[in-house]
Amino acid sequence: METISGDRLWQWRKWAGQLASAENIPSTEIDWVLRHYIPELDALALRLETYRGASSLQSHCSLDELTRLWERRVGDRTPVQHLTGMTPWRNFSLHVSPAVLIPRPETELIIDIAVEATRHHPELRTGIWVDMGTGSGAIALGLADVFPDATIHAVDASTDALAIARKNADACGMGDRIQFHHGNWFEPIHHLQGQLSGMVSNPPYIPSQEVQRLQPEVARHEPHLALDGGTDGLDSIRYLAKVAPRYLKPGGLWLIEMMAGQAESVISILKEHPFREACVHPDLSGIHRFGMAYRD
């Protein structure tokens, strides 16, 4: 542990705020970093600046190290989640790295949609569920949390991503609840054909030509494998709609995240395959974010 005086930290925070303001970075991210590395700081102390009078504060890194971290945030647009290696998601605190897509707050709603979709089909809650393209393991953890009697599988093509997902499952006390598989989509769970109660996925859905136009925090630092959905962004969604019926049992749930403007296309794709009750759900901003259907 390092020791930093409250006054020096106050001066550092002012300096960091000036850099953030110049680059249109929310100043709240400064406090995110400080609260991660200096555990005794809390939101109230930062807001009222009561820490300024402290003779010493215990920090997991020095002021020089904090400076280097913040210069990465401003200069290279490194996501704040990569500066701390952690991000909150639902009721979890998840490890993240450049190997995985950073779980977004809007994706949290996909778990609630799954719960509501099974309200009239309670038998699905004790069945087999799979998180396709699990990344950090966020969706798999969310499913394990709300469906405690279900068997949860998580699949990813990246071994680095799976290492993060396993680490998160262990840290959240769910290492024995989720079975992890390395491979492309359904390939490593071939033995589960016709058995799935639900398939949930946040697949790549950004059109290829738009990936490099995303904000630099995403385009430079997040895995393009988890972003690039092909020419129109729908390659992975088409595949999941085509293949999932072989794995879902009758009445099984198909649920994915998509980007704004893809709703009509996703519904059309679902109508080409043995699904019923195809529909879309908005996120908390009213954007059509989730596509859902039941296996015939």
Side-chain angles (χ1 to χ4, degrees):
M1 296 288 283
E2 301 283 339
T3 298
I4 303 173
S5 73
D7 189 62
R8 286 192 67 201
L9 186 64
W10 179 84
Q11 294 177 37
W12 184 92
R13 189 168 174 243
K14 292 296 182 186
W15 165 81
Q18 292 172 354
L19 264 63
S21 177
E23 296 296 329
N24 294 315
I25 293 171
S27 60
T28 53
E29 293 190 8
I30 301 169
D31 292 350
W32 182 336
V33 172
L34 291 179
R35 290 181 65 185
H36 178 79
Y37 286 104
I38 307 176
E40 61 191 285
L41 289 178
D42 58 27
L44 185 62
L46 288 163
R47 184 166 69 249
L48 299 180
E49 298 185 339
T50 53
Y51 66 90
R52 188 178 181 184
S55 58
S56 64
L57 296 164
Q58 296 298 306
S59 174
H60 288 292
C61 64
S62 69
L63 209 56
D64 286 343
E65 289 170 321
L66 283 173
T67 296
R68 287 192 288 272
L69 284 172
W70 195 248
E71 286 175 342
R72 284 175 54 201
R73 176 70 188 99
V74 174
D76 196 35
R77 307 297 287 204
T78 301
V80 66
Q81 295 90 339
H82 288 175
L83 300 185
T84 63
M86 304 293 294
T87 193
W89 195 81
R90 288 182 71 87
N91 56 322
F92 305 112
S93 184
L94 301 180
H95 295 274
V96 293
S97 80
V100 300
L101 196 69
I102 297 169
R104 266 57 173 186
E106 56 264 29
T107 306
E108 294 183 12
L109 193 58
I110 204 168
I111 304 300
D112 299 312
I113 293 171
V115 171
E116 179 61 23
T118 63
R119 190 161 60 91
H120 297 297
H121 306 280
E123 71 282 358
L124 296 179
R125 298 182 179 184
T126 58
I128 302 172
W129 288 73
V130 63
D131 172 16
M132 279 295 172
T134 193
S136 67
I139 289 176
L141 285 165
L143 293 172
D145 185 42
V146 297
F147 298 144
D149 297 318
T151 299
I152 311 298
H153 294 262
V155 178
D156 206 284
S158 166
T159 55
D160 291 338
L162 283 173
I164 294 291
R166 287 192 177 98
K167 183 177 183 179
N168 282 323
D170 289 339
C172 295
M174 293 190 181
D176 60 344
R177 288 289 323 282
I178 303 169
Q179 299 178 39
F180 294 96
H181 307 271
H182 175 241
N184 292 314
W185 301 119
F186 292 95
E187 290 176 2
I189 58 166
H190 183 77
H191 59 290
L192 295 179
Q193 289 194 47
Q195 300 180 47
L196 300 184
S197 291
M199 184 223 74
V200 185
S201 181
N202 180 10
Y205 53 67
I206 307 296
S208 300
Q209 68 275 16
E210 294 185 23
V211 172
Q212 292 296 341
R213 301 176 195 157
L214 296 171
Q215 61 191 89
E217 287 84 349
V218 178
R220 294 181 193 171
H221 300 284
E222 298 202 64
H224 288 195
L225 179 67
L227 296 167
D228 192 336
T231 302
D232 62 357
L234 295 167
D235 284 0
S236 295
I237 294 174
R238 286 193 187 91
Y239 176 83
L240 293 174
K242 177 182 177 181
V243 179
R246 302 178 204 164
Y247 289 82
L248 289 167
K249 64 183 184 180
L253 183 70
W254 187 93
L255 176 59
I256 58 98
E257 182 172 327
M258 58 190 170
M259 71 180 290
Q262 292 179 334
E264 287 187 15
S265 297
V266 170
I267 295 298
S268 295
I269 290 168
L270 288 170
K271 288 180 177 178
E272 297 173 2
H273 302 287
F275 290 105
R276 58 177 171 82
E277 300 178 49
C279 62
V280 297
H281 290 268
D283 62 19
L284 296 178
S285 299
I287 297 171
H288 285 155
R289 177 73 61 184
F290 309 99
M292 189 185 87
Y294 295 92
R295 169 74 162 90
D296 272 345

